[in-house]
Amino acid sequence: MRDRIQIVEVGPRDGLQNEKLPLDIVTRIDLIRRLADAGLRRIEIGAFVSPRWVPQMAGTLELSREILKLKAAGAFAEDTQFSCLVPNVRGMEDALKSGVTEVAIFGACSETFSKKNINCSIAESFIRFRQVMEMARYHQMRVRGYLSTAFGCPYEGRVSEARVVRLVRALIKMGVYEVSIGDTIGVATPKQVESLLKKVKRISPLSKIAMHFHDTRGTSLANVYASLRLGVRTFDASVGGLGGCPYAKGATGNLATEDLLYLLKGMGYRLTPNIQKLQPIKKMIEEKLGRELPSRVGKAGAWLVEDTV
Ligand code: HMG
Ligand code: MG
């Protein structure tokens, strides 16, 4: 229980990328500031992708520059890390202009999803990633890798474990410091998670693995528990359970950060983020988006869990 758990807050990126109503940059910056104030230390703040594909992420360059200016002025805790998605060299050029020191490349485990999401095959995407990695190495930037549709694809159905393991290995070999394995459409169950992680463990220490669950079918916390038992200590989540993917129909919200914190704190893990401070953030986003967010703890309250910050 003394192992350090890391939460990667993906609300400002994964959370907002699927919303019908794009939020303006001022609101997105306010959201990021509040999340950091609530104690979140790894925050994905945007995506350097085509605004024609994902208009909700337009303005990521301006937004990142502002966030980094605020960081330089001491507005955030020293150890707060900000990251953005980058699909190709063009995206990486924008990342370099912004000054972010961490980016994430994002591939898929199924061909159709890869094509629909980033307009290329898996093999082509790895050629692009290699170019991004070279630039990152030159500029001493950290790179995270994502693998979507690791448990199921909205177009192809089941995805083979062998393929996922092969892709995890390929990303690590390429030099990413962590691979986030994504249940993009929320179909995984603990049995599947255990089975996959046992195989991943043979090729990589689980300290290099993060799990990214969507709560589409209500299995995300059970999947976190299964991952914890196997030794995973990094989880992606989004405030309020915001989220989805524009290229995965029916992909509802990410696992809610509050729900994840409630489980982990209740199990005795010590974590910096404060559940009480996330409540008004969820409310603010609900007001801006004009819809209720699905987080259970957000609705019911945190009850007797102690916040340390
Ligand atoms: P493309 O159309 O193949 O790109 O898009 P292209 O190279 O043919 O260029 C076409 C135009 O796009 C050109 O502009 C380029 O300059 C421009 P034009 O000359 O026509 O005016 N372009 C760009 N503009 C801005 N930023 C760029 C960029 N690259 C080219 N980086 C591309 C390829 C990857 C850009 C496109 O498919 C795209 O933007 N896709 C984004 C998809 C996305 O963001 N999806 C959501 C995130 S993934 C996810 O949610 C899953 C995850 O959460 C994990 C999980 O849940 O499992 C990570
Ligand atoms: Mg996602």
Side-chain angles (χ1 to χ4, degrees), residues 13-14 17 48 50 52 88 90 117 119 184 212 214:
R13 193 279 303 172
D14 205 353
Q17 74 186 11
F48 293 111
S50 161
R52 267 197 278 142
N88 54 12
R90 168 68 215 281
N117 194 38
N119 204 24
T184 315
H212 178 110
H214 283 253

Side-chain angles (χ1 to χ4, degrees), residues 54 56 62 104 161 201 205 216 308:
V54 186
Q56 296 87 339
E62 197 184 333
E161 284 180 340
K201 216 172 175 170
T216 320
T308 46

